[in-house]
Amino acid sequence: MKQLTKVALAATVLAIATTAMAQPKPENFVKQRQSALNLIGWYFGPLGAVAKGEKPFNKDDAVRATTNLVALSKMPWEGFVAGTENVGNTKALPAIWAKPADFKKDADNMQAEMVKLAAAASAGDEAGFKKQFGVVGGTCKACHDDFRAK
């Protein structure tokens, strides 16, 4: 009887471990990438008013926002896995999966330019910040043009 109990316990532990390591559902990948991209918009959007001169440059606010943006800029890409092309309400175009190297290049470019934006914010360089904001916006546009439905 003790042997049967040990086998049952081992099987239960294995089942729990296997379930815990299971791949997330495709819709969870879509939610993850959309959440990360929405948060990027949340922090990036208001900086546009600064870049346009509609709102004064505040170094502390710019540093806080760009620090978050640097971290967030790394997050969405792992959510673009195979099998999520047509899951849920997504604007992701098939080109993401057809041209993964181009998609990765655009993502890497955005991340690199976001780091430069954070550096300008940290330096308190308002003119540099405004110029770099436009560069980052251009990286977003490039990806949207090729990989996002209108």
Side-chain angles (χ1 to χ4, degrees):
M1 191 66 162
K2 283 185 175 182
Q3 190 67 11
L4 184 59
T5 303
K6 288 180 183 177
V7 170
L9 182 59
T12 301
V13 169
L14 181 61
I16 291 170
T18 303
T19 302
M21 293 171 41
Q23 186 76 353
K25 294 178 181 179
E27 52 271 10
N28 289 340
F29 282 106
V30 174
K31 288 178 186 176
Q32 179 275 338
R33 70 189 188 218
Q34 289 176 339
S35 295
L37 291 165
N38 282 330
L39 282 170
I40 289 171
W42 174 264
Y43 288 101
F44 192 69
L47 295 176
V50 174
K52 293 176 188 174
E54 298 169 355
K55 183 177 174 186
F57 177 81
N58 178 294
K59 180 181 175 183
D60 293 337
D61 291 345
V63 167
R64 181 183 49 76
T66 57
T67 299
N68 289 331
L69 284 165
V70 168
L72 287 166
S73 71
K74 299 172 186 175
M75 294 182 187
W77 320 116
E78 62 194 34
F80 289 95
V81 298
T84 63
E85 299 89 340
N86 299 309
V87 175
N89 184 16
T90 180
K91 293 182 179 178
L93 291 174
I96 291 169
W97 294 272
K99 300 177 183 179
D102 292 343
F103 184 64
K104 182 177 180 346
K105 184 181 89 179
D106 282 356
D108 291 347
N109 189 33
M110 187 268 278
Q111 292 172 50
E113 296 302 335
M114 197 70 80
V115 169
K116 294 175 187 175
L117 181 66
S122 293
D125 178 6
E126 182 177 354
F129 177 85
K130 289 178 177 182
K131 180 179 179 186
Q132 187 61 26
F133 181 90
V135 173
V136 173
T139 67
C140 296
K141 182 182 181 325
C143 194
H144 284 205
D145 286 351
D146 294 337
F147 299 108
R148 183 175 188 248
K150 308 295 182 229

